[in-house]
């Protein structure tokens, strides 16, 4: 929760309440992607825990890759549409005076694509009984997010907040992918293979 809300806190502290107001429309639209993430996560955790108990830890690799691929497949088309029509969407939902938030929305779209990797990483570690590694990752990336937001807001203004969060998510995903690759032999290429298979199956 600190990670997700630190951008608003820092904007209000470093800049002003008006900067938070300008940032909010983009953040609210991006938060819509939490719906499929939450649904898949609520199904994924008990299923993963059950499969690990019955089939061993090796099954976690497949389920992580498959669940991230499904989430990306669901989110990607919507994100492309929002990215293309950011200005129109902001004007429609918030008004023309918030048009500057369109560029922030485009940046939040990029880090929303990284969230499935990070979210499923945490759930996978918890199901494997390695919650302390997940906690360590969350603490590190939260501290990095605070530091990046502070620096980027100082240099770029309120859009720097989005850049800082994007960089923090990117580092979080790198950490998660490297850890799962080492511990479970997870292959990030498999995620994109499953992603293409999902679209092929859906079309057929």
């Amino acid at each position: 929760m600190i990670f997700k809300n630190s951008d608003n806190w820092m904007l209000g502290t470093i800049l002003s309440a008006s900067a938070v107001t300008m940032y909010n429309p983009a953040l609210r639209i991006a938060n819509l992607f939490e719906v499929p993430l939450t649904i898949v996560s609520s199904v994924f955790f008990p299923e993963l825990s059950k499969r690990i108990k019955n089939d061993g830890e090796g099954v976690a690799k497949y389920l992580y890759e498959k669940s991230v691929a499904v989430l990306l497949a669901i989110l990607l088309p919507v994100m492309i549409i929002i990215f293309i029509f950011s200005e129109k969407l902001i004007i429609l939902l918030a008004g023309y005076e918030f048009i500057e938030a369109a560029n922030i929305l485009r940046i939040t779209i990029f880090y929303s694509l990284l969230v499935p990797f990070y979210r499923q990483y945490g759930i996978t570690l918890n199901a494997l009984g390695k919650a302390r590694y997940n906690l360590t990752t969350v603490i590190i990336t939260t501290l990095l997010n605070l530091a990046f937001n502070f620096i980027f807001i100082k240099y770029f203004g309120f859009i720097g907040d989005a850049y800082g969060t994007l960089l923090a998510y990117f580092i979080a995903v790198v950490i998660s992918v490297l850890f799962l690759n080492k511990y479970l032999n997870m292959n990030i290429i498999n995620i994109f293979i499953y992603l293409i298979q999902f679209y092929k199956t859906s079309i057929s």
Side-chain angles (χ1 to χ4, degrees):
M1 292 304 295
I2 293 172
F3 192 168
K4 286 180 64 62
N5 292 288
S6 61
D7 45 11
N8 272 338
W9 300 341
M10 298 194 74
L11 273 177
T13 303
I14 298 172
L15 296 179
S16 64
S18 60
V20 177
T21 304
M22 187 63 69
Y23 192 82
N24 266 333
L27 200 60
R28 289 179 185 278
I29 294 170
N31 282 341
L32 293 174
F33 300 121
E34 284 292 320
V35 176
L37 287 170
T38 302
I39 292 170
V40 172
S41 299
S42 64
V43 174
F44 180 67
F45 181 74
E47 178 64 19
L48 178 58
S49 301
K50 179 182 174 183
R51 292 284 296 275
I52 289 172
K53 183 178 179 180
N54 294 334
D55 305 326
E57 293 185 351
V59 74
K61 169 187 180 297
Y62 168 75
L63 289 177
Y64 172 83
E65 293 170 349
K66 197 68 179 284
S67 64
V68 172
V70 169
L71 282 169
L72 289 176
I74 294 168
L75 296 176
L76 198 55
V78 181
M79 289 178 170
I80 291 171
I81 292 170
I82 292 175
F83 185 86
I84 294 171
F85 299 104
S86 291
E87 285 89 356
K88 290 181 174 59
L89 195 58
I90 290 293
I91 293 170
L92 178 66
L93 298 178
Y96 191 81
E97 62 271 22
F98 290 93
I99 192 66
E100 288 183 65
N103 287 329
I104 297 173
L105 179 57
R106 289 193 175 99
I107 298 168
T108 59
I109 290 298
F110 280 114
Y111 70 68
S112 294
L113 281 173
L114 299 175
V115 174
F117 293 89
Y118 188 48
R119 176 74 65 85
Q120 298 306 97
Y121 161 78
I123 292 171
T124 300
L125 289 189
N126 289 343
L128 288 168
K130 299 185 178 298
R132 65 190 180 95
Y133 292 106
N134 182 31
L135 176 61
T136 302
T137 306
V138 171
I139 291 172
I140 290 170
T141 52
T142 300
L143 293 174
L144 287 174
N145 190 39
L146 291 169
F148 292 152
N149 282 346
F150 180 81
I151 295 168
F152 282 41
I153 290 170
K154 287 285 188 181
Y155 278 94
F156 301 107
F158 73 92
I159 199 170
D161 201 6
Y163 286 131
T165 304
L166 174 62
L167 183 56
Y169 267 117
F170 178 76
I171 292 174
V173 169
V174 169
I175 292 172
S176 63
V177 167
L178 290 176
F179 183 89
L180 291 177
N181 179 262
K182 181 179 179 180
Y183 187 75
L184 295 176
N185 198 28
M186 189 275 297
N187 189 345
I188 196 169
I189 296 173
N190 290 340
I191 293 173
F192 297 102
I193 293 173
Y194 293 137
L195 174 67
I196 293 169
Q197 287 176 352
F198 180 89
Y199 285 134
K200 285 182 177 178
T201 304
S202 299
I203 292 169
S204 64

